């Protein structure tokens, strides 16, 4: 890490073990149409990493082995992977619930104008990034014009029924703090989002998920350059709540990268900390049996305090 301060190493995160695996989180690659300063993936338009057809086949084979009920697609912008639609179609045919972690602006990209219709037709749940309901804050974090592009994406999803009660088309929004601080209480912030987006723009959604910025990759480098990395890590450690350990996402989730290698979570994936299984220090999804993972030890590090600080933070939002 390029830094302007000695990097603090705590090394005291509590040990945790895995329960039954019910979710497979698939990182389809690091290609994205946005470059966000808080991105733990370092995704962007110039990245080339993208899951190929053979690995997509390995993912589908893993889903047929039983136990996994949900496939959670992420990236980059997962929709920019050329095999995204085939993977969604085939997973849904297997009866797997599919989640698309969408940055919203991708819905307006060339060649993606029918993407919202595709998602709706396959009953894909959408978790959409919208780090604030104020235009200035969103654009400062994600780039000029992103807020308006995000509203366009939300309007397209709403028009198809997403976010409306009884439609069965789930639309959840994601909040990230602007900098090195914990998210505010999720319920109160959700009420603010709902009131502002509804009254001003006519936007509806199901839930707001608050997720802490993880001190890794692009965000960690930004903190270190500003001399704020150690302060942020210490703040996360001091806000740790043991009660959150029972609900952290890694206990029931496996993360797979664009090459097919598996990890305990997407954050470990970005730090190159592999999932150890069956005596192998590194495992590929083609060799993995979901049923064999229960009770296994989860690899942890200082960054894990980002998931257990305060009300907790996971891919499903606050834990408490």
């Amino acid at each position: 890490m390029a830094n302007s301060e000695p990097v603090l190493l705590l090394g005291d995160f509590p040990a945790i073990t895995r329960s039954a695996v019910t979710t497979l989180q698939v990182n389809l690659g690091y290609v994205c149409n946005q470059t966000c300063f808080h991105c733990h993936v370092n995704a962007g338009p110039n990245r080339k990493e993208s899951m190929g057809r053979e690995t997509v086949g390995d993912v589908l084979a893993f889903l047929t082995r039983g136990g996994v009920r949900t496939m959670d697609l992420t990236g980059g912008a997962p929709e920019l992977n050329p095999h995204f639609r085939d993977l969604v179609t085939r997973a849904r045919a297997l009866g797997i619930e599919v989640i698309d972690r969408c940055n919203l602006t991708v819905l307006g990209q060339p060649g993606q104008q029918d993407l919202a219709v595709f998602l709706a037709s396959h009953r894909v749940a959408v978790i959409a990034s919208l780090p604030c309901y104020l235009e200035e804050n969103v654009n400062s974090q994600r780039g000029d014009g992103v807020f308006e592009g995000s509203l366009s994406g939300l309007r397209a999803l709403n028009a198809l029924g997403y976010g409306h009660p009884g439609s069965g088309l789930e639309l959840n929004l994601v909040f990230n703090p602007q900098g090195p601080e914990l998210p505010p209480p999720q319920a109160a912030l959700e009420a603010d989002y709902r009131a502002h987006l509804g009254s001003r723009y006519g936007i509806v959604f199901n839930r707001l998920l608050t997720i802490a910025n993880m001190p890794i990759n692009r965000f960690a480098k930004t903190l270190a350059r500003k001399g704020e990395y150690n302060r942020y890590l210490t703040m996360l450690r001091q806000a740790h709540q043991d009660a959150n350990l029972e609900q952290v996402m890694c206990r029931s989730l496996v993360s797979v990268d664009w090459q097919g290698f598996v990890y305990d979570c997407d954050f470990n994936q970005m730090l190159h900390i592999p999932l150890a299984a069956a005596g192998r220090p590194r495992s590929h999804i083609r060799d993995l049996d979901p049923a064999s993972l229960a009770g296994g030890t989860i690899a942890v590090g200082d960054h894990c305090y980002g998931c257990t600080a305060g009300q907790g933070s996971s891919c499903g939002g606050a834990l408490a």
Side-chain angles (χ1 to χ4, degrees):
M1 185 193 311
N3 63 310
S4 58
E5 61 177 336
V7 174
L8 181 67
L9 296 176
L10 300 173
D12 60 351
F13 191 84
I16 49 177
T17 56
R18 184 180 301 282
S19 56
V21 175
T22 58
T23 299
L24 179 67
Q25 188 168 68
V26 183
N27 192 310
L28 285 171
Y30 310 151
V31 181
C32 190
N33 61 306
Q34 294 181 183
T35 307
C36 305
F37 85 84
H38 68 282
C39 181
H40 69 276
V41 182
N42 279 352
N46 297 323
R47 298 299 295 264
K48 305 298 182 185
E49 300 90 340
S50 186
M51 185 178 287
R53 182 175 296 279
E54 182 178 354
T55 306
V56 167
D58 293 333
V59 167
L60 289 164
F62 180 84
L63 295 176
T64 66
R65 291 172 202 151
V68 174
R69 300 191 296 267
T70 302
M71 181 175 68
D72 186 345
L73 299 178
T74 184
E79 306 90 348
L80 295 181
N81 182 289
H83 309 295
F84 171 83
R85 300 193 188 201
D86 181 53
L87 176 58
V88 169
T89 301
R90 295 171 67 184
R92 292 295 291 137
L94 293 172
I96 301 293
E97 176 191 3
V98 176
I99 298 171
D100 177 31
R101 294 189 180 266
C102 181
N103 68 20
L104 292 174
T105 61
V106 73
L107 296 168
Q109 290 291 293
Q112 301 294 340
Q113 290 85 351
D114 64 338
L115 176 59
V117 172
F118 171 82
L119 296 173
S121 66
H122 288 82
R123 316 296 286 179
V124 175
V126 174
I127 297 181
S129 301
L130 191 70
C132 188
Y133 51 75
L134 299 176
E135 182 172 7
E136 180 180 356
N137 288 349
V138 172
N139 289 346
S140 68
Q141 189 180 64
R142 316 201 81 174
D144 291 342
V146 168
F147 183 75
E148 188 55 45
S150 298
L151 287 182
S152 295
L154 287 170
R155 291 185 180 112
L157 292 169
N158 280 174
L160 293 166
Y162 274 100
H164 291 278
S167 71
L169 295 173
E170 188 171 359
L171 172 61
N172 296 327
L173 304 183
V174 173
F175 165 86
N176 293 92
Q178 293 292 304
E181 61 268 341
L182 288 175
Q186 184 168 283
L189 187 60
E190 179 179 301
D192 291 343
Y193 262 70
R194 201 176 299 282
H196 188 89
L197 294 176
S199 63
R200 186 155 187 176
Y201 304 108
I203 298 297
V204 296
F205 62 94
N206 296 104
R207 295 175 55 216
L208 177 73
L209 313 178
T210 57
I211 298 180
N213 293 324
M214 296 300 288
I216 57 179
N217 277 345
R218 189 176 293 153
F219 185 61
K221 292 175 183 177
T222 300
L223 292 176
R225 283 196 300 270
K226 295 179 177 180
E228 296 180 339
Y229 180 87
N230 289 345
R231 181 189 69 79
Y232 185 57
L233 185 59
T234 300
M235 180 193 70
L236 294 177
R237 171 65 182 85
Q238 292 175 343
H240 166 78
Q241 300 288 335
D242 278 340
N244 291 327
L245 292 171
E246 289 299 315
Q247 301 179 71
V248 287
M249 61 186 180
C250 55
R251 299 197 69 225
S252 60
L253 173 149
V254 167
S255 170
V256 57
D257 70 10
W258 65 279
Q259 295 175 298
F261 293 103
V262 291
Y263 305 80
D264 292 297
C265 70
D266 195 51
F267 305 125
N268 280 9
Q269 180 185 144
M270 295 306 119
L271 292 170
H272 309 291
I273 304 172
L275 181 153
R280 295 184 296 267
R282 188 187 192 201
S283 297
H284 195 278
I285 194 167
R286 74 170 73 94
D287 305 315
L288 207 61
D289 176 9
S292 69
L293 296 174
T297 299
I298 294 169
V300 298
D302 294 342
H303 62 287
C304 298
Y305 284 114
C307 290
T308 62
Q311 61 180 343
S313 176
S314 77
C315 286
L319 302 176

